mmCIF file with all atom_site columns, all heavy atoms in Angstrom:
data_model
loop_
_atom_site.group_PDB
_atom_site.id
_atom_site.type_symbol
_atom_site.label_atom_id
_atom_site.label_alt_id
_atom_site.label_comp_id
_atom_site.label_asym_id
_atom_site.label_entity_id
_atom_site.label_seq_id
_atom_site.pdbx_PDB_ins_code
_atom_site.Cartn_x
_atom_site.Cartn_y
_atom_site.Cartn_z
_atom_site.occupancy
_atom_site.B_iso_or_equiv
_atom_site.pdbx_formal_charge
_atom_site.auth_seq_id
_atom_site.auth_comp_id
_atom_site.auth_asym_id
_atom_site.auth_atom_id
_atom_site.pdbx_PDB_model_num
ATOM 1   N N   . LEU A 1 77 ? 173.112 247.291 75.780 1.00 95.00 ? 77 LEU A N   1
ATOM 2   C CA  . LEU A 1 77 ? 174.033 246.280 76.293 1.00 95.00 ? 77 LEU A CA  1
ATOM 3   C C   . LEU A 1 77 ? 175.434 246.874 76.504 1.00 95.00 ? 77 LEU A C   1
ATOM 4   O O   . LEU A 1 77 ? 176.080 246.618 77.525 1.00 95.00 ? 77 LEU A O   1
ATOM 5   C CB  . LEU A 1 77 ? 174.099 245.097 75.331 1.00 95.00 ? 77 LEU A CB  1
ATOM 6   C CG  . LEU A 1 77 ? 172.865 244.196 75.282 1.00 95.00 ? 77 LEU A CG  1
ATOM 7   C CD1 . LEU A 1 77 ? 173.004 243.149 74.183 1.00 95.00 ? 77 LEU A CD1 1
ATOM 8   C CD2 . LEU A 1 77 ? 172.634 243.516 76.635 1.00 95.00 ? 77 LEU A CD2 1
ATOM 9   N N   . ALA A 1 78 ? 175.893 247.663 75.532 1.00 95.00 ? 78 ALA A N   1
ATOM 10  C CA  . ALA A 1 78 ? 177.211 248.285 75.652 1.00 95.00 ? 78 ALA A CA  1
ATOM 11  C C   . ALA A 1 78 ? 177.228 249.281 76.810 1.00 95.00 ? 78 ALA A C   1
ATOM 12  O O   . ALA A 1 78 ? 178.193 249.338 77.582 1.00 95.00 ? 78 ALA A O   1
ATOM 13  C CB  . ALA A 1 78 ? 177.585 248.981 74.347 1.00 95.00 ? 78 ALA A CB  1
ATOM 14  N N   . TRP A 1 79 ? 176.162 250.069 76.943 1.00 96.00 ? 79 TRP A N   1
ATOM 15  C CA  . TRP A 1 79 ? 176.085 251.031 78.048 1.00 96.00 ? 79 TRP A CA  1
ATOM 16  C C   . TRP A 1 79 ? 176.106 250.314 79.387 1.00 96.00 ? 79 TRP A C   1
ATOM 17  O O   . TRP A 1 79 ? 176.778 250.748 80.323 1.00 96.00 ? 79 TRP A O   1
ATOM 18  C CB  . TRP A 1 79 ? 174.808 251.859 77.925 1.00 96.00 ? 79 TRP A CB  1
ATOM 19  C CG  . TRP A 1 79 ? 174.674 252.881 79.016 1.00 96.00 ? 79 TRP A CG  1
ATOM 20  C CD1 . TRP A 1 79 ? 175.143 254.156 79.011 1.00 96.00 ? 79 TRP A CD1 1
ATOM 21  C CD2 . TRP A 1 79 ? 174.045 252.681 80.295 1.00 96.00 ? 79 TRP A CD2 1
ATOM 22  N NE1 . TRP A 1 79 ? 174.846 254.782 80.203 1.00 96.00 ? 79 TRP A NE1 1
ATOM 23  C CE2 . TRP A 1 79 ? 174.173 253.902 81.017 1.00 96.00 ? 79 TRP A CE2 1
ATOM 24  C CE3 . TRP A 1 79 ? 173.388 251.613 80.896 1.00 96.00 ? 79 TRP A CE3 1
ATOM 25  C CZ2 . TRP A 1 79 ? 173.666 254.068 82.300 1.00 96.00 ? 79 TRP A CZ2 1
ATOM 26  C CZ3 . TRP A 1 79 ? 172.882 251.778 82.175 1.00 96.00 ? 79 TRP A CZ3 1
ATOM 27  C CH2 . TRP A 1 79 ? 173.025 252.985 82.863 1.00 96.00 ? 79 TRP A CH2 1
ATOM 28  N N   . GLY A 1 80 ? 175.361 249.198 79.486 1.00 96.00 ? 80 GLY A N   1
ATOM 29  C CA  . GLY A 1 80 ? 175.336 248.436 80.736 1.00 96.00 ? 80 GLY A CA  1
ATOM 30  C C   . GLY A 1 80 ? 176.698 247.880 81.095 1.00 96.00 ? 80 GLY A C   1
ATOM 31  O O   . GLY A 1 80 ? 177.109 247.903 82.265 1.00 96.00 ? 80 GLY A O   1
ATOM 32  N N   . TYR A 1 81 ? 177.420 247.366 80.107 1.00 96.00 ? 81 TYR A N   1
ATOM 33  C CA  . TYR A 1 81 ? 178.764 246.846 80.348 1.00 96.00 ? 81 TYR A CA  1
ATOM 34  C C   . TYR A 1 81 ? 179.683 247.950 80.861 1.00 96.00 ? 81 TYR A C   1
ATOM 35  O O   . TYR A 1 81 ? 180.401 247.781 81.865 1.00 96.00 ? 81 TYR A O   1
ATOM 36  C CB  . TYR A 1 81 ? 179.317 246.256 79.047 1.00 96.00 ? 81 TYR A CB  1
ATOM 37  C CG  . TYR A 1 81 ? 180.738 245.744 79.152 1.00 96.00 ? 81 TYR A CG  1
ATOM 38  C CD1 . TYR A 1 81 ? 180.999 244.398 79.345 1.00 96.00 ? 81 TYR A CD1 1
ATOM 39  C CD2 . TYR A 1 81 ? 181.827 246.613 79.054 1.00 96.00 ? 81 TYR A CD2 1
ATOM 40  C CE1 . TYR A 1 81 ? 182.295 243.918 79.441 1.00 96.00 ? 81 TYR A CE1 1
ATOM 41  C CE2 . TYR A 1 81 ? 183.123 246.150 79.151 1.00 96.00 ? 81 TYR A CE2 1
ATOM 42  C CZ  . TYR A 1 81 ? 183.353 244.806 79.334 1.00 96.00 ? 81 TYR A CZ  1
ATOM 43  O OH  . TYR A 1 81 ? 184.647 244.359 79.440 1.00 96.00 ? 81 TYR A OH  1
ATOM 44  N N   . ILE A 1 82 ? 179.672 249.086 80.175 1.00 96.00 ? 82 ILE A N   1
ATOM 45  C CA  . ILE A 1 82 ? 180.542 250.210 80.564 1.00 96.00 ? 82 ILE A CA  1
ATOM 46  C C   . ILE A 1 82 ? 180.165 250.714 81.951 1.00 96.00 ? 82 ILE A C   1
ATOM 47  O O   . ILE A 1 82 ? 181.046 250.994 82.783 1.00 96.00 ? 82 ILE A O   1
ATOM 48  C CB  . ILE A 1 82 ? 180.442 251.337 79.518 1.00 96.00 ? 82 ILE A CB  1
ATOM 49  C CG1 . ILE A 1 82 ? 181.025 250.852 78.174 1.00 96.00 ? 82 ILE A CG1 1
ATOM 50  C CG2 . ILE A 1 82 ? 181.175 252.590 80.001 1.00 96.00 ? 82 ILE A CG2 1
ATOM 51  C CD1 . ILE A 1 82 ? 180.757 251.782 77.022 1.00 96.00 ? 82 ILE A CD1 1
ATOM 52  N N   . TRP A 1 83 ? 178.885 250.839 82.207 1.00 96.00 ? 83 TRP A N   1
ATOM 53  C CA  . TRP A 1 83 ? 178.428 251.299 83.528 1.00 96.00 ? 83 TRP A CA  1
ATOM 54  C C   . TRP A 1 83 ? 178.894 250.348 84.619 1.00 96.00 ? 83 TRP A C   1
ATOM 55  O O   . TRP A 1 83 ? 179.360 250.781 85.677 1.00 96.00 ? 83 TRP A O   1
ATOM 56  C CB  . TRP A 1 83 ? 176.902 251.394 83.522 1.00 96.00 ? 83 TRP A CB  1
ATOM 57  C CG  . TRP A 1 83 ? 176.301 251.530 84.889 1.00 96.00 ? 83 TRP A CG  1
ATOM 58  C CD1 . TRP A 1 83 ? 176.255 252.654 85.668 1.00 96.00 ? 83 TRP A CD1 1
ATOM 59  C CD2 . TRP A 1 83 ? 175.695 250.473 85.657 1.00 96.00 ? 83 TRP A CD2 1
ATOM 60  N NE1 . TRP A 1 83 ? 175.640 252.376 86.873 1.00 96.00 ? 83 TRP A NE1 1
ATOM 61  C CE2 . TRP A 1 83 ? 175.293 251.044 86.899 1.00 96.00 ? 83 TRP A CE2 1
ATOM 62  C CE3 . TRP A 1 83 ? 175.443 249.131 85.422 1.00 96.00 ? 83 TRP A CE3 1
ATOM 63  C CZ2 . TRP A 1 83 ? 174.667 250.301 87.875 1.00 96.00 ? 83 TRP A CZ2 1
ATOM 64  C CZ3 . TRP A 1 83 ? 174.806 248.383 86.404 1.00 96.00 ? 83 TRP A CZ3 1
ATOM 65  C CH2 . TRP A 1 83 ? 174.427 248.968 87.605 1.00 96.00 ? 83 TRP A CH2 1
ATOM 66  N N   . LEU A 1 84 ? 178.785 249.046 84.382 1.00 96.00 ? 84 LEU A N   1
ATOM 67  C CA  . LEU A 1 84 ? 179.154 248.059 85.386 1.00 96.00 ? 84 LEU A CA  1
ATOM 68  C C   . LEU A 1 84 ? 180.641 248.108 85.718 1.00 96.00 ? 84 LEU A C   1
ATOM 69  O O   . LEU A 1 84 ? 181.024 248.227 86.888 1.00 96.00 ? 84 LEU A O   1
ATOM 70  C CB  . LEU A 1 84 ? 178.768 246.657 84.908 1.00 96.00 ? 84 LEU A CB  1
ATOM 71  C CG  . LEU A 1 84 ? 179.178 245.496 85.826 1.00 96.00 ? 84 LEU A CG  1
ATOM 72  C CD1 . LEU A 1 84 ? 178.447 245.592 87.164 1.00 96.00 ? 84 LEU A CD1 1
ATOM 73  C CD2 . LEU A 1 84 ? 178.897 244.157 85.152 1.00 96.00 ? 84 LEU A CD2 1
ATOM 74  N N   . PHE A 1 85 ? 181.491 248.035 84.695 1.00 96.00 ? 85 PHE A N   1
ATOM 75  C CA  . PHE A 1 85 ? 182.923 247.909 84.959 1.00 96.00 ? 85 PHE A CA  1
ATOM 76  C C   . PHE A 1 85 ? 183.600 249.246 85.275 1.00 96.00 ? 85 PHE A C   1
ATOM 77  O O   . PHE A 1 85 ? 184.716 249.261 85.783 1.00 96.00 ? 85 PHE A O   1
ATOM 78  C CB  . PHE A 1 85 ? 183.616 247.212 83.784 1.00 96.00 ? 85 PHE A CB  1
ATOM 79  C CG  . PHE A 1 85 ? 183.369 245.731 83.767 1.00 96.00 ? 85 PHE A CG  1
ATOM 80  C CD1 . PHE A 1 85 ? 182.454 245.176 82.885 1.00 96.00 ? 85 PHE A CD1 1
ATOM 81  C CD2 . PHE A 1 85 ? 184.015 244.896 84.658 1.00 96.00 ? 85 PHE A CD2 1
ATOM 82  C CE1 . PHE A 1 85 ? 182.211 243.814 82.877 1.00 96.00 ? 85 PHE A CE1 1
ATOM 83  C CE2 . PHE A 1 85 ? 183.773 243.536 84.672 1.00 96.00 ? 85 PHE A CE2 1
ATOM 84  C CZ  . PHE A 1 85 ? 182.866 242.987 83.779 1.00 96.00 ? 85 PHE A CZ  1
ATOM 85  N N   . ARG A 1 86 ? 182.923 250.355 84.999 1.00 94.00 ? 86 ARG A N   1
ATOM 86  C CA  . ARG A 1 86 ? 183.444 251.630 85.506 1.00 94.00 ? 86 ARG A CA  1
ATOM 87  C C   . ARG A 1 86 ? 183.020 251.859 86.951 1.00 94.00 ? 86 ARG A C   1
ATOM 88  O O   . ARG A 1 86 ? 183.618 252.682 87.647 1.00 94.00 ? 86 ARG A O   1
ATOM 89  C CB  . ARG A 1 86 ? 182.966 252.799 84.635 1.00 94.00 ? 86 ARG A CB  1
ATOM 90  C CG  . ARG A 1 86 ? 183.660 252.887 83.292 1.00 94.00 ? 86 ARG A CG  1
ATOM 91  C CD  . ARG A 1 86 ? 183.632 254.277 82.731 1.00 94.00 ? 86 ARG A CD  1
ATOM 92  N NE  . ARG A 1 86 ? 182.277 254.802 82.617 1.00 94.00 ? 86 ARG A NE  1
ATOM 93  C CZ  . ARG A 1 86 ? 182.004 256.054 82.249 1.00 94.00 ? 86 ARG A CZ  1
ATOM 94  N NH1 . ARG A 1 86 ? 182.982 256.893 81.983 1.00 94.00 ? 86 ARG A NH1 1
ATOM 95  N NH2 . ARG A 1 86 ? 180.756 256.452 82.150 1.00 94.00 ? 86 ARG A NH2 1
ATOM 96  N N   . SER A 1 87 ? 182.010 251.129 87.401 1.00 95.00 ? 87 SER A N   1
ATOM 97  C CA  . SER A 1 87 ? 181.525 251.281 88.769 1.00 95.00 ? 87 SER A CA  1
ATOM 98  C C   . SER A 1 87 ? 182.291 250.407 89.753 1.00 95.00 ? 87 SER A C   1
ATOM 99  O O   . SER A 1 87 ? 182.389 250.749 90.938 1.00 95.00 ? 87 SER A O   1
ATOM 100 C CB  . SER A 1 87 ? 180.033 250.936 88.839 1.00 95.00 ? 87 SER A CB  1
ATOM 101 O OG  . SER A 1 87 ? 179.270 251.739 87.976 1.00 95.00 ? 87 SER A OG  1
ATOM 102 N N   . LEU A 1 88 ? 182.802 249.260 89.287 1.00 94.00 ? 88 LEU A N   1
ATOM 103 C CA  . LEU A 1 88 ? 183.445 248.309 90.183 1.00 94.00 ? 88 LEU A CA  1
ATOM 104 C C   . LEU A 1 88 ? 184.942 248.577 90.312 1.00 94.00 ? 88 LEU A C   1
ATOM 105 O O   . LEU A 1 88 ? 185.614 248.791 89.303 1.00 94.00 ? 88 LEU A O   1
ATOM 106 C CB  . LEU A 1 88 ? 183.236 246.877 89.661 1.00 94.00 ? 88 LEU A CB  1
ATOM 107 C CG  . LEU A 1 88 ? 181.791 246.387 89.551 1.00 94.00 ? 88 LEU A CG  1
ATOM 108 C CD1 . LEU A 1 88 ? 181.758 244.992 88.967 1.00 94.00 ? 88 LEU A CD1 1
ATOM 109 C CD2 . LEU A 1 88 ? 181.113 246.436 90.904 1.00 94.00 ? 88 LEU A CD2 1
ATOM 110 N N   . PRO A 1 89 ? 185.490 248.547 91.528 1.00 94.00 ? 89 PRO A N   1
ATOM 111 C CA  . PRO A 1 89 ? 186.948 248.656 91.691 1.00 94.00 ? 89 PRO A CA  1
ATOM 112 C C   . PRO A 1 89 ? 187.637 247.448 91.058 1.00 94.00 ? 89 PRO A C   1
ATOM 113 O O   . PRO A 1 89 ? 187.114 246.327 91.077 1.00 94.00 ? 89 PRO A O   1
ATOM 114 C CB  . PRO A 1 89 ? 187.130 248.663 93.218 1.00 94.00 ? 89 PRO A CB  1
ATOM 115 C CG  . PRO A 1 89 ? 185.792 248.980 93.787 1.00 94.00 ? 89 PRO A CG  1
ATOM 116 C CD  . PRO A 1 89 ? 184.787 248.467 92.817 1.00 94.00 ? 89 PRO A CD  1
ATOM 117 N N   . LEU A 1 90 ? 188.812 247.682 90.506 1.00 93.00 ? 90 LEU A N   1
ATOM 118 C CA  . LEU A 1 90 ? 189.566 246.599 89.884 1.00 93.00 ? 90 LEU A CA  1
ATOM 119 C C   . LEU A 1 90 ? 189.852 245.489 90.882 1.00 93.00 ? 90 LEU A C   1
ATOM 120 O O   . LEU A 1 90 ? 189.793 244.293 90.529 1.00 93.00 ? 90 LEU A O   1
ATOM 121 C CB  . LEU A 1 90 ? 190.889 247.148 89.324 1.00 93.00 ? 90 LEU A CB  1
ATOM 122 C CG  . LEU A 1 90 ? 191.861 246.128 88.739 1.00 93.00 ? 90 LEU A CG  1
ATOM 123 C CD1 . LEU A 1 90 ? 191.218 245.326 87.607 1.00 93.00 ? 90 LEU A CD1 1
ATOM 124 C CD2 . LEU A 1 90 ? 193.128 246.825 88.259 1.00 93.00 ? 90 LEU A CD2 1
ATOM 125 N N   . LEU A 1 91 ? 190.136 245.858 92.114 1.00 93.00 ? 91 LEU A N   1
ATOM 126 C CA  . LEU A 1 91 ? 190.409 244.858 93.151 1.00 93.00 ? 91 LEU A CA  1
ATOM 127 C C   . LEU A 1 91 ? 189.228 243.911 93.319 1.00 93.00 ? 91 LEU A C   1
ATOM 128 O O   . LEU A 1 91 ? 189.399 242.691 93.419 1.00 93.00 ? 91 LEU A O   1
ATOM 129 C CB  . LEU A 1 91 ? 190.725 245.561 94.480 1.00 93.00 ? 91 LEU A CB  1
ATOM 130 C CG  . LEU A 1 91 ? 191.016 244.666 95.687 1.00 93.00 ? 91 LEU A CG  1
ATOM 131 C CD1 . LEU A 1 91 ? 192.254 243.819 95.432 1.00 93.00 ? 91 LEU A CD1 1
ATOM 132 C CD2 . LEU A 1 91 ? 191.201 245.520 96.950 1.00 93.00 ? 91 LEU A CD2 1
ATOM 133 N N   . LEU A 1 92 ? 188.031 244.458 93.334 1.00 95.00 ? 92 LEU A N   1
ATOM 134 C CA  . LEU A 1 92 ? 186.822 243.637 93.489 1.00 95.00 ? 92 LEU A CA  1
ATOM 135 C C   . LEU A 1 92 ? 186.640 242.707 92.290 1.00 95.00 ? 92 LEU A C   1
ATOM 136 O O   . LEU A 1 92 ? 186.299 241.526 92.453 1.00 95.00 ? 92 LEU A O   1
ATOM 137 C CB  . LEU A 1 92 ? 185.605 244.552 93.654 1.00 95.00 ? 92 LEU A CB  1
ATOM 138 C CG  . LEU A 1 92 ? 184.243 243.865 93.783 1.00 95.00 ? 92 LEU A CG  1
ATOM 139 C CD1 . LEU A 1 92 ? 184.213 242.961 95.011 1.00 95.00 ? 92 LEU A CD1 1
ATOM 140 C CD2 . LEU A 1 92 ? 183.135 244.900 93.854 1.00 95.00 ? 92 LEU A CD2 1
ATOM 141 N N   . VAL A 1 93 ? 186.875 243.216 91.089 1.00 95.00 ? 93 VAL A N   1
ATOM 142 C CA  . VAL A 1 93 ? 186.735 242.399 89.879 1.00 95.00 ? 93 VAL A CA  1
ATOM 143 C C   . VAL A 1 93 ? 187.699 241.225 89.916 1.00 95.00 ? 93 VAL A C   1
ATOM 144 O O   . VAL A 1 93 ? 187.332 240.079 89.610 1.00 95.00 ? 93 VAL A O   1
ATOM 145 C CB  . VAL A 1 93 ? 186.979 243.262 88.625 1.00 95.00 ? 93 VAL A CB  1
ATOM 146 C CG1 . VAL A 1 93 ? 186.999 242.398 87.365 1.00 95.00 ? 93 VAL A CG1 1
ATOM 147 C CG2 . VAL A 1 93 ? 185.904 244.328 88.493 1.00 95.00 ? 93 VAL A CG2 1
ATOM 148 N N   . LEU A 1 94 ? 188.938 241.470 90.319 1.00 95.00 ? 94 LEU A N   1
ATOM 149 C CA  . LEU A 1 94 ? 189.943 240.410 90.365 1.00 95.00 ? 94 LEU A CA  1
ATOM 150 C C   . LEU A 1 94 ? 189.576 239.325 91.380 1.00 95.00 ? 94 LEU A C   1
ATOM 151 O O   . LEU A 1 94 ? 189.708 238.126 91.107 1.00 95.00 ? 94 LEU A O   1
ATOM 152 C CB  . LEU A 1 94 ? 191.314 240.999 90.712 1.00 95.00 ? 94 LEU A CB  1
ATOM 153 C CG  . LEU A 1 94 ? 191.961 241.882 89.649 1.00 95.00 ? 94 LEU A CG  1
ATOM 154 C CD1 . LEU A 1 94 ? 193.217 242.534 90.203 1.00 95.00 ? 94 LEU A CD1 1
ATOM 155 C CD2 . LEU A 1 94 ? 192.286 241.088 88.393 1.00 95.00 ? 94 LEU A CD2 1
#
Side-chain angles (χ1 to χ4, degrees):
L77 288 174
W79 181 89
Y81 177 98
I82 294 170
W83 166 77
L84 176 64
F85 284 103
R86 286 204 304 174
S87 302
L88 299 177
L90 175 58
L91 179 62
L92 178 61
V93 173
L94 291 173

